[in-house]
Amino acid sequence: MPAGVELHWYEIRDILGQGGFGITYLAYDKNLAHEVAIKEYMPAELATRAGDGTVAPVSPELEDRYRWGLDRFIDEARTLGQFKHPNIVRVRNVFELNNTAYMVMDYELGESLQDLLSRRKILDEADIKTVIFPIIEGMKQVHAHGFIHRDIKPANIFIRVDGDPVLLDFGSARQALVETRNAMTGVFSKGYAPIEQYNTTDEDDTQGPWTDIYALGATLYRSIAGIPPTDAVDRSSAISVTSRDTYVPAKEIGADRYSPTILEAIDYAMRFDREERPQNITEWLNTFNHDADGGTETKDRPPGDELIQTIIKAEKGDVSAQASLAYIYAKGIDTDKDEVEAAKWFRRAAEQGNINAMYNLGVMHAKGRGVEQNYREAFHWYSEAGVHGDAEAQATLYMMYMRGIGVEQDESAAYDWCLLAARQGHVNSMYRLGEMYWRGQGVKPDGKEAFSWFRRAAEKGHINAQLHLAFMYGKGQGVTRNDMESYNWYRRAAEAGHPQAQYNLGVIFAKGRGIEKNTDEARRWYQKAADQGYENAEQALARLTQ
């Protein structure tokens, strides 16, 4: 649907993503005056859109399949709407219109774990505990409702601007624990899906919490190894032919870099036979020897001397102590988690000029944590932090001006804040500045400036910037055409795991652009892209075979 279309009181503004089962839009809720994400049931193989915007099956023969999927979509949205876990995407509404259905969810600012891993390759142990353990804890609630996700992977874990993770895209979820017959689908992601997702039948109950545990283990594996684990089908083939599993254990890859308990827990989750994996989240968490926050249980412990001293100093007006106390309450360190107290102390520190507290107070107002959600108040505190030089706040202000969140939409102001953050070395802002020059958003289009900022971000490891740089070299846009440089940047992005870069590298080898033609290398890179679900790569592999 184009921008400007209205669905009840929601106005479509942009497309956030598109897959085989639906389209996700950025929309504006006119009733509550804030942005939301809306997922439309639109199965690509089954449905088409008419000129008046209505959706219908592509043929009468597919009517039953289309209706079955539509009913499941609505049922799932209603069930997901019952979840109120901070690390599970919040479904706010579902409604039928245009002969299809729409799921309204919270719109989150940030980036996916896949994007983060593309830049950083791996996570350290502290970040693993911060990013993935809250998702594991959230899945306990999902499983308790008889749901399994079936598509947990880095692309479906989103890191909010405040650093908290949220699990997205339950489009493949089915109530398989209670309604397995005639409800199974072949939705899976290679490397993250266990073998039972490939061998699903209507006759038995092969999928359950252990299926999601495998995917969570695979996500942890990707986070420590830099690459996804061996695909389950390849493992199955090797086991059947040689009786040897091709899976390389996490305890070997992560030795001396991560705690043995984490590595053992990953390998436990990644066992090939489902019966040998943990059968539920609680059982699996026990193998980590710590709670889902990544530390020993603390909520029942009395405050220690250090906490008491921090409270005393904060009460006496010590700004550093106030900021520290706010963080302690926000995270529940050596005391009960209390976001109201956290917001109070962040405010006291912010009003005395603590820049970090200004930023965190903006986050709490934006998310409604400890205070009533108020985007204008969030904008105020982000602005205070941004004026004082906080690059993360400046990057957030860019997004707020671009989307009109808490402030009137203003691409020129967005450009100004993005420039400030980019000049401080904020990598995402460097990339976004390149996009603004490329598209002419908030500034006149300038291919050379776009190239300059894409290059800076690319050299710091930003995978999408590397991809764009490769494209610009290949087309001679913003820079003199250079096929070898195009190849080099596509290669860097491809080796970091970007499927489109892997596909384009396959094209370069297949056609011999800037390098010697090499069909075997073309096939290898096409296969890597195909393994990540890149559809064009599958077609390219078929053409090579012909």
Side-chain angles (χ1 to χ4, degrees):
M1 292 182 293
V5 169
E6 293 191 5
L7 307 171
H8 295 321
W9 52 87
Y10 303 104
E11 180 185 334
I12 299 298
R13 288 191 167 178
D14 201 355
I15 294 177
L16 295 174
Q18 188 168 352
F21 294 90
I23 304 171
T24 303
Y25 302 93
L26 174 67
Y28 186 72
D29 184 334
K30 293 184 175 182
N31 274 350
L32 299 179
H34 67 86
E35 289 186 311
V36 295
I38 297 181
K39 186 170 185 178
E40 178 185 45
Y41 174 69
M42 181 69 179
E45 295 182 357
L46 302 178
T48 184
R49 194 187 309 278
D52 61 358
T54 58
V55 178
V58 294
S59 68
E61 292 78 14
L62 296 175
E63 176 76 26
D64 289 344
R65 287 181 61 194
Y66 177 82
R67 291 293 166 191
W68 182 89
L70 179 61
D71 290 343
R72 300 290 76 71
F73 181 90
I74 295 169
D75 288 345
E76 290 165 6
R78 288 170 177 163
T79 301
L80 293 172
Q82 300 174 32
F83 299 156
K84 294 178 175 61
H85 193 280
N87 303 110
I88 301 296
V89 65
R90 186 73 184 274
V91 174
R92 298 287 183 175
N93 192 10
V94 63
F95 59 89
E96 294 185 67
L97 194 68
N98 295 331
N99 198 40
T100 185
Y102 301 88
M103 186 189 308
V104 183
M105 300 169 286
D106 284 350
Y107 173 62
E108 305 285 359
L109 296 175
E111 65 177 338
S112 71
L113 175 58
Q114 179 171 288
D115 289 338
L116 180 64
L117 289 171
S118 294
R119 292 201 318 273
R120 293 174 48 181
K121 197 72 172 177
I122 62 173
L123 299 181
D124 58 33
E125 188 161 327
D127 285 336
I128 284 175
K129 294 172 181 177
T130 300
V131 171
I132 300 179
F133 272 66
I135 300 297
I136 296 174
E137 187 66 28
M139 286 306 299
K140 288 173 66 176
Q141 186 179 115
V142 173
H143 290 167
H145 282 75
F147 253 62
I148 53 177
H149 188 287
R150 284 196 178 87
D151 197 20
I152 299 173
K153 57 185 177 181
N156 284 338
I157 296 175
F158 198 76
I159 314 300
R160 299 177 172 114
V161 292
D162 61 359
D164 281 352
V166 59
L167 182 62
L168 305 176
D169 199 358
F170 279 73
S172 65
R174 299 290 184 268
Q175 297 188 44
L177 298 183
V178 293
E179 295 179 359
T180 57
R181 190 171 299 276
N182 296 324
M184 294 297 191
T185 66
V187 178
F188 49 82
S189 296
K190 292 183 178 180
Y192 300 96
I195 194 63
E196 63 264 22
Q197 284 192 266
Y198 293 85
N199 297 333
T200 293
T201 69
D202 292 338
E203 299 175 358
D204 58 4
D205 197 0
T206 59
Q207 297 186 44
W210 50 88
T211 304
D212 284 340
I213 289 171
Y214 185 99
L216 286 164
T219 299
L220 282 165
Y221 189 100
R222 167 66 181 87
S223 299
I224 69 162
I227 56 173
T230 304
D231 182 62
V233 171
D234 294 333
R235 294 178 69 181
S236 178
S237 298
I239 291 169
S240 63
V241 174
T242 67
S243 299
R244 293 183 62 184
D245 193 347
T246 52
Y247 171 75
V248 181
K251 65 181 181 182
E252 294 181 14
I253 290 179
D256 302 323
R257 294 187 294 119
Y258 300 92
S259 300
T261 50
I262 285 184
L263 301 178
E264 290 167 6
I266 294 172
D267 289 334
Y268 188 17
M270 293 296 297
R271 290 183 181 178
F272 184 78
D273 292 330
R274 61 187 177 89
E275 295 87 354
E276 296 181 2
R277 291 178 227 139
Q279 297 299 290
N280 57 66
I281 293 289
T282 300
E283 179 187 343
W284 188 38
L285 282 175
N286 288 337
T287 66
F288 287 94
N289 285 340
H290 43 52
D291 62 17
D293 291 325
T296 56
E297 185 64 40
T298 62
K299 291 184 178 179
D300 295 329
R301 294 195 338 227
D305 291 341
E306 186 176 343
L307 175 58
I308 292 172
Q309 291 301 314
T310 302
I311 293 173
I312 292 171
K313 290 179 181 179
E315 293 284 5
K316 289 182 178 181
D318 186 308
V319 180
S320 178
Q322 290 170 349
S324 297
L325 190 59
Y327 183 80
I328 287 169
Y329 280 122
K331 296 298 182 181
I333 302 171
D334 285 336
T335 187
D336 289 333
K337 186 174 181 178
D338 189 332
E339 291 184 336
V340 173
E341 280 293 303
K344 181 184 79 175
W345 288 108
F346 274 136
R347 178 174 289 277
R348 289 183 63 172
E351 288 174 345
Q352 292 195 67
N354 185 285
I355 300 172
N356 187 54
M358 294 173 185
Y359 173 76
N360 280 294
L361 191 57
V363 170
M364 300 197 81
H365 277 291
K367 297 298 178 182
R369 293 180 178 171
V371 293
E372 185 177 350
Q373 187 179 49
N374 187 324
Y375 287 116
R376 291 191 179 276
E377 191 71 8
F379 173 79
H380 166 73
W381 288 109
Y382 283 136
S383 297
E384 289 291 319
V387 167
H388 285 84
D390 188 289
E392 199 63 47
Q394 293 165 351
T396 304
L397 287 164
Y398 151 83
M399 188 69 73
M400 296 184 83
Y401 271 115
M402 285 295 290
R403 300 298 190 188
I405 302 172
V407 65
E408 187 175 347
Q409 189 174 14
D410 186 338
E411 290 186 352
S412 179
Y415 166 82
D416 291 338
W417 284 111
C418 191
L419 180 61
L420 287 174
R423 285 175 173 171
Q424 290 197 71
H426 192 275
V427 179
N428 276 347
S429 294
M430 292 177 182
Y431 172 72
R432 289 166 178 162
L433 201 61
E435 283 191 314
M436 296 189 87
Y437 275 113
W438 181 255
R439 298 174 179 174
Q441 292 178 312
V443 66
K444 290 183 179 180
D446 189 325
K448 290 184 178 179
E449 277 294 314
F451 172 83
S452 174
W453 285 107
F454 282 137
R455 175 116 198 178
R456 294 184 208 188
E459 288 173 345
K460 289 182 176 291
H462 195 292
I463 192 169
N464 287 329
Q466 293 170 350
L467 186 71
H468 212 121
L469 205 61
F471 173 82
M472 295 181 81
Y473 271 119
K475 297 293 184 181
Q477 296 182 359
V479 65
T480 302
R481 178 170 175 168
N482 187 321
D483 288 339
M484 180 54 70
E485 278 292 302
S486 179
Y487 162 78
N488 288 336
W489 285 107
Y490 275 131
R491 180 118 198 173
R492 285 184 63 172
E495 289 175 345
H498 198 296
Q500 185 177 342
Q502 292 168 344
Y503 168 75
N504 287 345
L505 199 57
V507 172
I508 287 172
F509 275 113
K511 297 186 176 182
R513 290 180 180 172
I515 57 171
E516 186 176 348
K517 185 175 180 179
N518 188 324
T519 303
D520 289 339
E521 276 294 286
R523 183 177 290 106
R524 184 169 77 90
W525 287 107
Y526 283 148
Q527 187 63 60
K528 285 180 177 291
D531 288 344
Q532 294 198 61
Y534 198 76
E535 294 182 4
N536 289 343
E538 295 279 4
Q539 299 169 5
L541 280 170
R543 288 196 297 270
L544 279 181
T545 303
Q546 294 172 357

